[in-house]
Amino acid sequence: MTPALGPFLVEDLTFNGGLYALFVVPAFLVFWVLRPRAFAHRRIQPQPRATPRAMLHDLGWSLGSLLVFAAMDYGLVVLERLGVAKTSTAPLAEYGVWPLVLSVPALLVLHDAYFYWMHRLVHAPALFRLVHQVHHRSTDPTPFTSFAFHPLEAVLENGFAVLVVLVFPVHLWALIAWQVCQQLFNLLGHLGYEVFPRWWRAAPVLGLKTTSTHHNLHHERFRGNYGLYFVWWDRWMGTEFPDDERRFLEVTAPRPRPEAA
């Protein structure tokens, strides 16, 4: 039986909106309000251009995106009830712990590929003017920029979840874990500050994960660094900025010690 639309939307918005607030609000308060001077040495763009008006712009569009996501989630429930979507809610003893655990990184890898090519698509001139420029109004992104999408782009962003449940029998808990990871990594990419340690880029395996600087440069320059979670698509397709590593090392350079009096 399909759940009533109103209560479902309230429940979905409560979960996704609560998750958004859980990540965005503390990050904004710590880095942008309470302790900006303490983290100034990790500021990716040394001359801040973010304004309160831009933050309100991003917050408004982000709330709109959450509404779009909720409506699409309801559509997925309808498809699941019709037997079209393959979302599983089976007990773990039946579904299997390892399939659940392994499906989360698999979702991240698949979503990264989807996002890279979708992202390049919305940078086509016509689509950029129509939808993606809403997100790129923030050339100096803040945590509020994470979900600041035009409604059509919000549909494209969440389209991965629709596609994956139409093809794979993904457990609901795996989808929730992926959603948590997706919101966290989205926040880090739009934080405005580099949180990864200096050794990160040179580390085996870990260095394949995008840094905060990686996506910040995309907002600063628009063309390049299209990847979300990993750097490999940008490197394979030649779209990583040549100075990406240099900028990361500049931002993560050790603070000079104060000279003794």
Side-chain angles (χ1 to χ4, degrees):
M1 182 177 179
T2 304
L5 176 61
F8 177 89
L9 292 180
V10 170
E11 183 178 336
D12 192 277
L13 284 170
T14 299
F15 172 75
N16 282 316
L19 194 60
Y20 174 83
L22 180 65
F23 286 137
V24 168
V25 174
F28 177 72
L29 288 177
V30 170
F31 285 90
W32 289 79
V33 178
L34 300 176
R35 303 285 290 169
R37 297 180 69 176
F39 296 104
H41 64 292
R42 286 298 188 110
R43 189 76 172 87
I44 299 171
Q45 296 189 34
Q47 299 297 325
R49 290 175 285 174
T51 64
R53 183 175 181 179
M55 294 177 195
L56 287 174
H57 166 274
D58 287 349
L59 177 60
W61 286 101
S62 291
L63 294 177
S65 295
L66 290 171
L67 283 170
V68 172
F69 297 158
M72 293 180 72
D73 288 345
Y74 184 79
L76 288 177
V77 172
V78 173
L79 292 176
E80 192 271 332
R81 297 294 190 271
L82 294 174
V84 178
K86 301 179 184 295
T87 310
S88 174
T89 55
L92 290 185
E94 177 184 330
Y95 186 84
V97 174
W98 279 110
L100 176 66
V101 171
L102 295 176
S103 59
V104 177
L107 285 171
L108 292 174
V109 170
L110 290 172
H111 184 218
D112 188 66
Y114 173 91
F115 180 88
Y116 177 86
W117 291 106
M118 182 277 297
H119 196 184
R120 292 199 64 174
L121 174 66
V122 296
H123 270 270
L127 282 176
F128 186 88
R129 289 192 299 270
L130 179 64
V131 298
H132 196 47
Q133 66 176 344
V134 166
H135 187 67
H136 268 286
R137 179 171 175 177
S138 294
T139 53
D140 184 16
T142 72
F144 296 114
T145 315
S146 302
F147 281 171
F149 305 129
H150 184 283
L152 291 177
E153 184 172 357
V155 171
L156 290 174
E157 291 278 347
N158 204 42
F160 170 77
V162 177
L163 290 175
V164 78
V165 301
L166 292 177
V167 178
F168 302 107
V170 183
H171 199 279
L172 178 62
W173 282 110
L175 286 173
I176 292 174
W178 162 74
Q179 176 68 10
V180 171
C181 292
Q182 189 248 134
Q183 288 216 31
L184 173 61
F185 294 146
N186 235 326
L187 166 68
L188 295 179
H190 297 94
L191 185 59
Y193 293 81
E194 184 55 74
V195 296
F196 289 91
R198 186 174 175 81
W199 50 261
W200 186 269
R201 287 269 317 213
V205 183
L206 291 177
L208 296 173
K209 170 69 185 75
T210 55
T211 63
S212 302
T213 301
H214 185 274
H215 192 69
N216 192 282
L217 287 176
H218 173 76
H219 274 266
E220 182 182 312
R221 304 174 185 176
F222 291 24
R223 297 281 181 176
N225 282 17
Y226 296 104
L228 178 60
Y229 306 126
F230 308 109
V231 298
W232 49 56
W233 280 106
D234 278 308
R235 292 180 181 175
W236 290 339
M237 305 310 299
T239 53
E240 185 178 48
F241 289 122
D243 62 340
D244 183 271
E245 182 174 10
R246 178 180 63 78
R247 282 289 298 272
F248 173 77
L249 293 176
E250 288 176 354
V251 174
T252 57
R255 282 183 290 180
R257 295 181 179 179
E259 296 182 4

PDB file of all heavy atoms in Angstrom, residues 26-54:
ATOM      1  N   PRO A  26      26.466  23.343  11.866  1.00  0.00           N
ATOM      2  CA  PRO A  26      27.691  23.383  12.682  1.00  0.00           C
ATOM      3  C   PRO A  26      28.918  23.823  11.885  1.00  0.00           C
ATOM      4  O   PRO A  26      29.750  24.581  12.397  1.00  0.00           O
ATOM      5  CB  PRO A  26      27.839  21.937  13.169  1.00  0.00           C
ATOM      6  CG  PRO A  26      26.477  21.353  13.078  1.00  0.00           C
ATOM      7  CD  PRO A  26      25.852  22.004  11.892  1.00  0.00           C
ATOM      8  N   ALA A  27      29.029  23.342  10.629  1.00  0.00           N
ATOM      9  CA  ALA A  27      30.180  23.727   9.812  1.00  0.00           C
ATOM     10  C   ALA A  27      30.191  25.228   9.566  1.00  0.00           C
ATOM     11  O   ALA A  27      31.241  25.881   9.640  1.00  0.00           O
ATOM     12  CB  ALA A  27      30.148  22.971   8.482  1.00  0.00           C
ATOM     13  N   PHE A  28      29.034  25.789   9.273  1.00  0.00           N
ATOM     14  CA  PHE A  28      28.957  27.232   9.040  1.00  0.00           C
ATOM     15  C   PHE A  28      29.294  28.017  10.302  1.00  0.00           C
ATOM     16  O   PHE A  28      30.051  28.990  10.261  1.00  0.00           O
ATOM     17  CB  PHE A  28      27.559  27.608   8.536  1.00  0.00           C
ATOM     18  CG  PHE A  28      27.372  29.084   8.344  1.00  0.00           C
ATOM     19  CD1 PHE A  28      27.994  29.750   7.306  1.00  0.00           C
ATOM     20  CD2 PHE A  28      26.578  29.814   9.214  1.00  0.00           C
ATOM     21  CE1 PHE A  28      27.835  31.118   7.117  1.00  0.00           C
ATOM     22  CE2 PHE A  28      26.406  31.180   9.051  1.00  0.00           C
ATOM     23  CZ  PHE A  28      27.038  31.828   8.001  1.00  0.00           C
ATOM     24  N   LEU A  29      28.736  27.577  11.420  1.00  0.00           N
ATOM     25  CA  LEU A  29      28.986  28.301  12.672  1.00  0.00           C
ATOM     26  C   LEU A  29      30.462  28.251  13.057  1.00  0.00           C
ATOM     27  O   LEU A  29      31.039  29.267  13.455  1.00  0.00           O
ATOM     28  CB  LEU A  29      28.127  27.707  13.791  1.00  0.00           C
ATOM     29  CG  LEU A  29      26.624  27.990  13.719  1.00  0.00           C
ATOM     30  CD1 LEU A  29      25.892  27.272  14.844  1.00  0.00           C
ATOM     31  CD2 LEU A  29      26.338  29.492  13.764  1.00  0.00           C
ATOM     32  N   VAL A  30      31.082  27.072  12.932  1.00  0.00           N
ATOM     33  CA  VAL A  30      32.473  26.924  13.359  1.00  0.00           C
ATOM     34  C   VAL A  30      33.422  27.679  12.440  1.00  0.00           C
ATOM     35  O   VAL A  30      34.265  28.458  12.900  1.00  0.00           O
ATOM     36  CB  VAL A  30      32.860  25.432  13.429  1.00  0.00           C
ATOM     37  CG1 VAL A  30      34.373  25.287  13.644  1.00  0.00           C
ATOM     38  CG2 VAL A  30      32.103  24.738  14.551  1.00  0.00           C
ATOM     39  N   PHE A  31      33.288  27.459  11.126  1.00  0.00           N
ATOM     40  CA  PHE A  31      34.276  28.002  10.192  1.00  0.00           C
ATOM     41  C   PHE A  31      33.977  29.442   9.772  1.00  0.00           C
ATOM     42  O   PHE A  31      34.908  30.208   9.503  1.00  0.00           O
ATOM     43  CB  PHE A  31      34.364  27.119   8.947  1.00  0.00           C
ATOM     44  CG  PHE A  31      35.098  25.833   9.165  1.00  0.00           C
ATOM     45  CD1 PHE A  31      34.420  24.693   9.572  1.00  0.00           C
ATOM     46  CD2 PHE A  31      36.467  25.756   8.973  1.00  0.00           C
ATOM     47  CE1 PHE A  31      35.101  23.501   9.777  1.00  0.00           C
ATOM     48  CE2 PHE A  31      37.159  24.573   9.174  1.00  0.00           C
ATOM     49  CZ  PHE A  31      36.470  23.438   9.579  1.00  0.00           C
ATOM     50  N   TRP A  32      32.704  29.810   9.703  1.00  0.00           N
ATOM     51  CA  TRP A  32      32.356  31.111   9.141  1.00  0.00           C
ATOM     52  C   TRP A  32      31.937  32.146  10.184  1.00  0.00           C
ATOM     53  O   TRP A  32      31.994  33.348   9.910  1.00  0.00           O
ATOM     54  CB  TRP A  32      31.238  30.957   8.108  1.00  0.00           C
ATOM     55  CG  TRP A  32      31.679  30.292   6.851  1.00  0.00           C
ATOM     56  CD1 TRP A  32      31.857  28.943   6.640  1.00  0.00           C
ATOM     57  CD2 TRP A  32      32.045  30.925   5.627  1.00  0.00           C
ATOM     58  NE1 TRP A  32      32.285  28.710   5.374  1.00  0.00           N
ATOM     59  CE2 TRP A  32      32.412  29.903   4.718  1.00  0.00           C
ATOM     60  CE3 TRP A  32      32.072  32.250   5.211  1.00  0.00           C
ATOM     61  CZ2 TRP A  32      32.818  30.181   3.418  1.00  0.00           C
ATOM     62  CZ3 TRP A  32      32.473  32.536   3.907  1.00  0.00           C
ATOM     63  CH2 TRP A  32      32.836  31.502   3.035  1.00  0.00           C
ATOM     64  N   VAL A  33      31.486  31.696  11.359  1.00  0.00           N
ATOM     65  CA  VAL A  33      30.962  32.639  12.348  1.00  0.00           C
ATOM     66  C   VAL A  33      31.833  32.702  13.600  1.00  0.00           C
ATOM     67  O   VAL A  33      32.298  33.780  13.988  1.00  0.00           O
ATOM     68  CB  VAL A  33      29.508  32.274  12.746  1.00  0.00           C
ATOM     69  CG1 VAL A  33      28.990  33.234  13.816  1.00  0.00           C
ATOM     70  CG2 VAL A  33      28.605  32.302  11.532  1.00  0.00           C
ATOM     71  N   LEU A  34      32.060  31.571  14.240  1.00  0.00           N
ATOM     72  CA  LEU A  34      32.712  31.565  15.545  1.00  0.00           C
ATOM     73  C   LEU A  34      34.230  31.600  15.478  1.00  0.00           C
ATOM     74  O   LEU A  34      34.874  32.280  16.274  1.00  0.00           O
ATOM     75  CB  LEU A  34      32.252  30.331  16.349  1.00  0.00           C
ATOM     76  CG  LEU A  34      30.751  30.238  16.618  1.00  0.00           C
ATOM     77  CD1 LEU A  34      30.416  28.935  17.337  1.00  0.00           C
ATOM     78  CD2 LEU A  34      30.278  31.435  17.443  1.00  0.00           C
ATOM     79  N   ARG A  35      34.822  30.846  14.511  1.00  0.00           N
ATOM     80  CA  ARG A  35      36.278  30.696  14.507  1.00  0.00           C
ATOM     81  C   ARG A  35      36.923  30.954  13.140  1.00  0.00           C
ATOM     82  O   ARG A  35      37.877  30.263  12.764  1.00  0.00           O
ATOM     83  CB  ARG A  35      36.636  29.270  14.958  1.00  0.00           C
ATOM     84  CG  ARG A  35      36.091  28.875  16.325  1.00  0.00           C
ATOM     85  CD  ARG A  35      36.864  29.526  17.449  1.00  0.00           C
ATOM     86  NE  ARG A  35      38.205  28.938  17.540  1.00  0.00           N
ATOM     87  CZ  ARG A  35      39.180  29.435  18.280  1.00  0.00           C
ATOM     88  NH1 ARG A  35      38.981  30.536  18.984  1.00  0.00           N
ATOM     89  NH2 ARG A  35      40.362  28.846  18.327  1.00  0.00           N
ATOM     90  N   PRO A  36      36.466  31.928  12.378  1.00  0.00           N
ATOM     91  CA  PRO A  36      37.070  32.134  11.053  1.00  0.00           C
ATOM     92  C   PRO A  36      38.547  32.513  11.111  1.00  0.00           C
ATOM     93  O   PRO A  36      39.325  32.114  10.244  1.00  0.00           O
ATOM     94  CB  PRO A  36      36.221  33.253  10.441  1.00  0.00           C
ATOM     95  CG  PRO A  36      35.636  33.963  11.615  1.00  0.00           C
ATOM     96  CD  PRO A  36      35.400  32.896  12.642  1.00  0.00           C
ATOM     97  N   ARG A  37      38.938  33.253  12.131  1.00  0.00           N
ATOM     98  CA  ARG A  37      40.344  33.663  12.225  1.00  0.00           C
ATOM     99  C   ARG A  37      41.230  32.483  12.587  1.00  0.00           C
ATOM    100  O   ARG A  37      42.377  32.400  12.145  1.00  0.00           O
ATOM    101  CB  ARG A  37      40.482  34.788  13.251  1.00  0.00           C
ATOM    102  CG  ARG A  37      39.718  36.056  12.870  1.00  0.00           C
ATOM    103  CD  ARG A  37      39.865  37.156  13.895  1.00  0.00           C
ATOM    104  NE  ARG A  37      41.216  37.695  13.917  1.00  0.00           N
ATOM    105  CZ  ARG A  37      41.588  38.724  14.680  1.00  0.00           C
ATOM    106  NH1 ARG A  37      40.695  39.298  15.475  1.00  0.00           N
ATOM    107  NH2 ARG A  37      42.827  39.160  14.648  1.00  0.00           N
ATOM    108  N   ALA A  38      40.706  31.562  13.377  1.00  0.00           N
ATOM    109  CA  ALA A  38      41.489  30.390  13.758  1.00  0.00           C
ATOM    110  C   ALA A  38      41.774  29.492  12.561  1.00  0.00           C
ATOM    111  O   ALA A  38      42.801  28.810  12.512  1.00  0.00           O
ATOM    112  CB  ALA A  38      40.760  29.601  14.844  1.00  0.00           C
ATOM    113  N   PHE A  39      40.851  29.493  11.573  1.00  0.00           N
ATOM    114  CA  PHE A  39      41.019  28.655  10.395  1.00  0.00           C
ATOM    115  C   PHE A  39      41.417  29.457   9.155  1.00  0.00           C
ATOM    116  O   PHE A  39      41.376  28.935   8.041  1.00  0.00           O
ATOM    117  CB  PHE A  39      39.722  27.878  10.107  1.00  0.00           C
ATOM    118  CG  PHE A  39      39.337  26.911  11.187  1.00  0.00           C
ATOM    119  CD1 PHE A  39      38.316  27.211  12.070  1.00  0.00           C
ATOM    120  CD2 PHE A  39      40.013  25.712  11.332  1.00  0.00           C
ATOM    121  CE1 PHE A  39      37.955  26.321  13.077  1.00  0.00           C
ATOM    122  CE2 PHE A  39      39.669  24.810  12.333  1.00  0.00           C
ATOM    123  CZ  PHE A  39      38.639  25.123  13.212  1.00  0.00           C
ATOM    124  N   ALA A  40      41.799  30.717   9.357  1.00  0.00           N
ATOM    125  CA  ALA A  40      42.115  31.582   8.215  1.00  0.00           C
ATOM    126  C   ALA A  40      43.231  31.012   7.351  1.00  0.00           C
ATOM    127  O   ALA A  40      43.235  31.193   6.128  1.00  0.00           O
ATOM    128  CB  ALA A  40      42.484  32.977   8.708  1.00  0.00           C
ATOM    129  N   HIS A  41      44.174  30.298   7.976  1.00  0.00           N
ATOM    130  CA  HIS A  41      45.287  29.734   7.203  1.00  0.00           C
ATOM    131  C   HIS A  41      44.833  28.605   6.296  1.00  0.00           C
ATOM    132  O   HIS A  41      45.580  28.198   5.399  1.00  0.00           O
ATOM    133  CB  HIS A  41      46.377  29.231   8.155  1.00  0.00           C
ATOM    134  CG  HIS A  41      45.932  28.106   9.032  1.00  0.00           C
ATOM    135  ND1 HIS A  41      44.997  28.257  10.033  1.00  0.00           N
ATOM    136  CD2 HIS A  41      46.291  26.796   9.048  1.00  0.00           C
ATOM    137  CE1 HIS A  41      44.805  27.095  10.636  1.00  0.00           C
ATOM    138  NE2 HIS A  41      45.565  26.193  10.068  1.00  0.00           N
ATOM    139  N   ARG A  42      43.620  28.084   6.509  1.00  0.00           N
ATOM    140  CA  ARG A  42      43.076  27.025   5.659  1.00  0.00           C
ATOM    141  C   ARG A  42      42.003  27.548   4.701  1.00  0.00           C
ATOM    142  O   ARG A  42      41.330  26.759   4.056  1.00  0.00           O
ATOM    143  CB  ARG A  42      42.489  25.905   6.529  1.00  0.00           C
ATOM    144  CG  ARG A  42      43.532  25.013   7.214  1.00  0.00           C
ATOM    145  CD  ARG A  42      44.377  24.284   6.171  1.00  0.00           C
ATOM    146  NE  ARG A  42      45.257  23.281   6.750  1.00  0.00           N
ATOM    147  CZ  ARG A  42      45.105  21.964   6.602  1.00  0.00           C
ATOM    148  NH1 ARG A  42      44.087  21.498   5.917  1.00  0.00           N
ATOM    149  NH2 ARG A  42      45.964  21.130   7.139  1.00  0.00           N
ATOM    150  N   ARG A  43      41.875  28.850   4.619  1.00  0.00           N
ATOM    151  CA  ARG A  43      40.899  29.452   3.700  1.00  0.00           C
ATOM    152  C   ARG A  43      41.384  29.238   2.277  1.00  0.00           C
ATOM    153  O   ARG A  43      42.512  29.598   1.924  1.00  0.00           O
ATOM    154  CB  ARG A  43      40.780  30.943   4.001  1.00  0.00           C
ATOM    155  CG  ARG A  43      39.657  31.644   3.264  1.00  0.00           C
ATOM    156  CD  ARG A  43      38.313  31.322   3.876  1.00  0.00           C
ATOM    157  NE  ARG A  43      37.270  32.144   3.283  1.00  0.00           N
ATOM    158  CZ  ARG A  43      36.609  31.831   2.171  1.00  0.00           C
ATOM    159  NH1 ARG A  43      36.859  30.709   1.535  1.00  0.00           N
ATOM    160  NH2 ARG A  43      35.678  32.637   1.713  1.00  0.00           N
ATOM    161  N   ILE A  44      40.541  28.639   1.433  1.00  0.00           N
ATOM    162  CA  ILE A  44      40.969  28.274   0.072  1.00  0.00           C
ATOM    163  C   ILE A  44      41.066  29.514  -0.813  1.00  0.00           C
ATOM    164  O   ILE A  44      42.024  29.681  -1.559  1.00  0.00           O
ATOM    165  CB  ILE A  44      40.012  27.234  -0.534  1.00  0.00           C
ATOM    166  CG1 ILE A  44      40.029  25.961   0.323  1.00  0.00           C
ATOM    167  CG2 ILE A  44      40.428  26.902  -1.975  1.00  0.00           C
ATOM    168  CD1 ILE A  44      38.971  24.951  -0.050  1.00  0.00           C
ATOM    169  N   GLN A  45      40.084  30.384  -0.743  1.00  0.00           N
ATOM    170  CA  GLN A  45      40.142  31.651  -1.478  1.00  0.00           C
ATOM    171  C   GLN A  45      40.498  32.745  -0.480  1.00  0.00           C
ATOM    172  O   GLN A  45      39.664  33.114   0.353  1.00  0.00           O
ATOM    173  CB  GLN A  45      38.801  31.936  -2.160  1.00  0.00           C
ATOM    174  CG  GLN A  45      38.447  30.913  -3.228  1.00  0.00           C
ATOM    175  CD  GLN A  45      37.229  31.312  -4.043  1.00  0.00           C
ATOM    176  OE1 GLN A  45      36.987  32.494  -4.294  1.00  0.00           O
ATOM    177  NE2 GLN A  45      36.468  30.316  -4.475  1.00  0.00           N
ATOM    178  N   PRO A  46      41.713  33.271  -0.564  1.00  0.00           N
ATOM    179  CA  PRO A  46      42.187  34.205   0.473  1.00  0.00           C
ATOM    180  C   PRO A  46      41.399  35.502   0.542  1.00  0.00           C
ATOM    181  O   PRO A  46      41.372  36.149   1.579  1.00  0.00           O
ATOM    182  CB  PRO A  46      43.647  34.452   0.081  1.00  0.00           C
ATOM    183  CG  PRO A  46      43.732  34.099  -1.366  1.00  0.00           C
ATOM    184  CD  PRO A  46      42.740  33.005  -1.577  1.00  0.00           C
ATOM    185  N   GLN A  47      40.759  35.890  -0.558  1.00  0.00           N
ATOM    186  CA  GLN A  47      39.938  37.099  -0.549  1.00  0.00           C
ATOM    187  C   GLN A  47      38.470  36.695  -0.608  1.00  0.00           C
ATOM    188  O   GLN A  47      37.912  36.498  -1.683  1.00  0.00           O
ATOM    189  CB  GLN A  47      40.289  38.008  -1.745  1.00  0.00           C
ATOM    190  CG  GLN A  47      41.720  38.494  -1.757  1.00  0.00           C
ATOM    191  CD  GLN A  47      42.034  39.354  -0.558  1.00  0.00           C
ATOM    192  OE1 GLN A  47      41.183  40.098  -0.084  1.00  0.00           O
ATOM    193  NE2 GLN A  47      43.259  39.270  -0.055  1.00  0.00           N
ATOM    194  N   PRO A  48      37.814  36.531   0.534  1.00  0.00           N
ATOM    195  CA  PRO A  48      36.432  36.035   0.546  1.00  0.00           C
ATOM    196  C   PRO A  48      35.489  36.923  -0.253  1.00  0.00           C
ATOM    197  O   PRO A  48      35.526  38.152  -0.146  1.00  0.00           O
ATOM    198  CB  PRO A  48      36.073  36.044   2.039  1.00  0.00           C
ATOM    199  CG  PRO A  48      37.384  36.027   2.752  1.00  0.00           C
ATOM    200  CD  PRO A  48      38.324  36.792   1.880  1.00  0.00           C
ATOM    201  N   ARG A  49      34.658  36.271  -1.066  1.00  0.00           N
ATOM    202  CA  ARG A  49      33.669  36.994  -1.844  1.00  0.00           C
ATOM    203  C   ARG A  49      32.246  36.620  -1.463  1.00  0.00           C
ATOM    204  O   ARG A  49      31.289  37.180  -1.994  1.00  0.00           O
ATOM    205  CB  ARG A  49      33.896  36.723  -3.340  1.00  0.00           C
ATOM    206  CG  ARG A  49      35.160  37.361  -3.891  1.00  0.00           C
ATOM    207  CD  ARG A  49      35.389  36.971  -5.328  1.00  0.00           C
ATOM    208  NE  ARG A  49      35.869  35.597  -5.423  1.00  0.00           N
ATOM    209  CZ  ARG A  49      36.040  34.944  -6.582  1.00  0.00           C
ATOM    210  NH1 ARG A  49      35.738  35.532  -7.706  1.00  0.00           N
ATOM    211  NH2 ARG A  49      36.506  33.717  -6.597  1.00  0.00           N
ATOM    212  N   ALA A  50      32.102  35.647  -0.558  1.00  0.00           N
ATOM    213  CA  ALA A  50      30.772  35.237  -0.126  1.00  0.00           C
ATOM    214  C   ALA A  50      30.126  36.354   0.704  1.00  0.00           C
ATOM    215  O   ALA A  50      30.766  36.951   1.561  1.00  0.00           O
ATOM    216  CB  ALA A  50      30.858  33.956   0.702  1.00  0.00           C
ATOM    217  N   THR A  51      28.866  36.638   0.426  1.00  0.00           N
ATOM    218  CA  THR A  51      28.130  37.685   1.121  1.00  0.00           C
ATOM    219  C   THR A  51      26.894  37.076   1.786  1.00  0.00           C
ATOM    220  O   THR A  51      26.433  36.001   1.390  1.00  0.00           O
ATOM    221  CB  THR A  51      27.674  38.779   0.145  1.00  0.00           C
ATOM    222  OG1 THR A  51      26.752  38.200  -0.796  1.00  0.00           O
ATOM    223  CG2 THR A  51      28.864  39.375  -0.599  1.00  0.00           C
ATOM    224  N   PRO A  52      26.328  37.746   2.794  1.00  0.00           N
ATOM    225  CA  PRO A  52      25.080  37.245   3.385  1.00  0.00           C
ATOM    226  C   PRO A  52      23.976  37.057   2.354  1.00  0.00           C
ATOM    227  O   PRO A  52      23.192  36.103   2.442  1.00  0.00           O
ATOM    228  CB  PRO A  52      24.724  38.333   4.406  1.00  0.00           C
ATOM    229  CG  PRO A  52      26.048  38.921   4.792  1.00  0.00           C
ATOM    230  CD  PRO A  52      26.871  38.906   3.525  1.00  0.00           C
ATOM    231  N   ARG A  53      23.919  37.931   1.367  1.00  0.00           N
ATOM    232  CA  ARG A  53      22.895  37.797   0.332  1.00  0.00           C
ATOM    233  C   ARG A  53      23.106  36.517  -0.473  1.00  0.00           C
ATOM    234  O   ARG A  53      22.138  35.804  -0.787  1.00  0.00           O
ATOM    235  CB  ARG A  53      22.939  39.014  -0.599  1.00  0.00           C
ATOM    236  CG  ARG A  53      21.871  39.004  -1.675  1.00  0.00           C
ATOM    237  CD  ARG A  53      21.897  40.281  -2.485  1.00  0.00           C
ATOM    238  NE  ARG A  53      20.866  40.283  -3.509  1.00  0.00           N
ATOM    239  CZ  ARG A  53      20.653  41.289  -4.363  1.00  0.00           C
ATOM    240  NH1 ARG A  53      21.419  42.381  -4.278  1.00  0.00           N
ATOM    241  NH2 ARG A  53      19.695  41.202  -5.260  1.00  0.00           N
ATOM    242  N   ALA A  54      24.364  36.205  -0.794  1.00  0.00           N
ATOM    243  CA  ALA A  54      24.652  34.971  -1.533  1.00  0.00           C
ATOM    244  C   ALA A  54      24.312  33.749  -0.695  1.00  0.00           C
ATOM    245  O   ALA A  54      23.804  32.746  -1.217  1.00  0.00           O
ATOM    246  CB  ALA A  54      26.124  34.946  -1.944  1.00  0.00           C
TER     247      ALA A  54
END
